Amino acid sequence: RGTPIAPAVIWADTRSWRQAADITARVGAEKLAAVAGSPVAAGFMAATAAWLQQEHASLWFKTRRLLSPKDE
C-alpha cells in the first residue's frame, strides 16, 4: 500500500489558491462548471496537486497516489 511521504494536506488548506486561480484562468470558469460541476477552489484536489508539483517538486516526483479522505 505504500508509506506516506509527507503529512496530509486537507481540504481546508488554502495554500493552493494561486493554482486554483491559474487553472480557472486557463480552462475558463464556465467550462470548469460544465465539466467538473463546480469551480476549482484552493484545497480541491486539482489545485492541491498543482501546488505540490510547483512548490514541492521533490515530493511530487515521489508521489504515486493522491487520496481523498474516503479513499482506502
Side-chain angles (χ1 to χ4, degrees):
R1 287 202 174 247
T3 302
I5 59 172
V9 178
I10 64 169
W11 67 269
D13 188 308
T14 60
R15 292 177 286 182
S16 63
W17 68 271
R18 284 185 185 96
Q19 289 76 13
D22 182 54
I23 292 167
T24 301
R26 286 187 291 125
V27 176
E30 288 182 20
K31 187 171 183 179
L32 280 171
V35 172
S38 68
V40 174
F44 283 24
M45 183 69 74
T48 300
W51 171 81
L52 182 64
Q53 185 178 24
Q54 293 170 12
E55 302 295 330
H56 296 282
S58 63
L59 289 176
W60 178 252
F61 287 114
K62 295 177 186 177
T63 301
R64 297 292 172 256
R65 292 175 187 86
L66 298 171
L67 302 173
S68 292
K70 293 183 178 182
D71 292 339
E72 294 182 19

